[in-house]
Amino acid sequence: MTPRAKILVVEDEKNIARVVTYTLEKEGYQVSVAKDGQEALDTARRESPDLLVLDLMLPGVDGLDVCRQLRADPRTAALSIIMLTAKTQEADRVVGLELGADDYLPKPFSPRELAARVKAVLRRAARPELPATWRCGGLEADWERRLIKVKQKSATLTPKEFELLRVLVEARGRVLSRAQLLERVWGYEQAVEIQSRTVDLHISQLRQKLGPEGKRILTVTGAGYRFRMPEEDAT
Ligand code: CA
């Protein structure tokens, strides 16, 4: 984990903001607080924190909007976000994940639970970049030369299929929503016009081309897709 990671807490309820700040400072993080969505956006752009603890219900620009705007801005797109919410309905959870929150914590939560989630999300985000060449079961990738082999035979991936595979592998087992995949593979401007069904179509083509290793691309119902990493094979 990053011991001096910067965390921005976005919460309009003073008592909750205070408890969260106290909890995270005790864990050694650098914490700042924003009281509404606009302040959150300004602070995130100015201070580039490592992680946002973002309340869903905020005056003015709400948490989902903050999340959407941060993800759309290349300066803040990679920020880790944990959403806090009083709502526990499945629909809200799915919307939060679709918009790119990394994790979700319903209120009321214990400080210990929050600290554990923060630590886990930061640990996932801090993983090193992929090595230039990479092997996973029968799958071999040379990311720089853009060569993919399955069982020592070259797989002919289209540029989009190649990017899709790289983005999934880079996420190291994390779920990526269709919206995130659209943004990262197709680019944000185009993502607005391309149907998320396009993602499903490319995923299914990519799975086929990867043969037996195609099974590593998992569908997570209501959330998106993830890549089953070789280290998960033993479990
Ligand atoms: Ca609130």
Side-chain angles (χ1 to χ4, degrees):
M1 84 171 225
T2 325
R4 288 294 286 163
K6 269 199 275 183
I7 299 180
L8 175 59
V9 176
V10 188
E11 171 63 272
D12 56 314
E13 287 159 78
K14 276 198 188 121
N15 288 338
I16 297 179
R18 199 176 299 139
V19 171
V20 170
T21 303
Y22 174 77
T23 303
L24 297 176
E25 282 181 343
K26 216 173 62 179
E27 296 290 320
Y29 302 113
Q30 248 179 291
V31 182
S32 45
V33 178
K35 292 178 293 299
D36 58 52
Q38 193 52 53
E39 194 186 341
L41 289 168
D42 296 342
T43 311
R45 283 169 188 149
R46 197 176 57 238
E47 295 182 1
S48 55
D50 299 286
L51 182 141
L52 243 75
V53 175
L54 175 61
D55 188 34
L56 180 64
M57 304 292 278
L58 294 167
V61 187
D62 73 10
L64 288 179
D65 259 328
V66 171
C67 198
R68 190 184 295 127
Q69 292 192 40
L70 290 173
R71 288 295 184 236
D73 184 339
R75 289 170 296 176
T76 51
L79 244 171
S80 297
I81 299 175
I82 297 179
M83 276 228 175
L84 302 180
T85 177
K87 299 181 181 177
T88 50
Q89 282 91 355
E90 184 70 5
D92 294 311
R93 194 182 73 82
V94 170
V95 169
L97 292 174
E98 275 292 321
L99 289 175
D102 297 270
D103 204 353
Y104 215 79
L105 197 54
K107 290 176 179 176
F109 54 86
S110 73
R112 183 185 294 211
E113 166 100 61
L114 174 70
R117 300 284 186 102
V118 165
K119 195 173 171 183
V121 168
L122 286 174
R123 195 193 295 126
R124 282 192 312 223
R127 281 185 174 161
E129 281 184 24
L130 292 173
T133 57
W134 178 84
R135 189 189 283 267
C136 166
L139 185 61
E140 282 174 74
D142 181 332
W143 303 114
E144 275 162 25
R145 292 163 64 211
R146 307 177 74 88
L147 298 174
I148 303 294
K149 284 183 183 174
V150 179
K151 293 193 166 174
Q152 299 176 349
K153 280 182 69 181
S154 289
T156 48
L157 303 190
T158 65
K160 289 282 182 268
E161 288 162 0
F162 176 86
E163 284 307 321
L164 195 52
L165 177 63
R166 180 157 71 179
V167 164
L168 281 165
V169 172
E170 271 172 354
R172 306 224 166 226
R174 252 179 73 196
V175 178
L176 295 174
S177 69
R178 289 176 179 82
Q180 284 174 308
L181 289 170
L182 277 173
E183 272 183 38
R184 293 181 197 185
V185 176
W186 280 264
Y188 180 72
E189 287 84 356
Q190 290 182 55
V192 186
E193 285 163 31
I194 294 175
Q195 302 272 328
S196 62
R197 206 160 51 85
T198 307
V199 175
D200 301 343
L201 207 69
H202 280 76
I203 289 276
S204 99
Q205 283 161 359
L206 180 58
R207 275 183 182 139
Q208 275 180 29
K209 291 188 182 180
L210 297 183
E213 301 296 338
K215 287 201 296 275
R216 292 188 174 277
I217 302 175
L218 308 177
T219 305
V220 183
T221 308
Y225 295 100
R226 68 182 208 90
F227 192 89
R228 188 164 56 86
M229 298 301 283
E231 50 266 35
E232 293 178 68
D233 290 354
T235 59

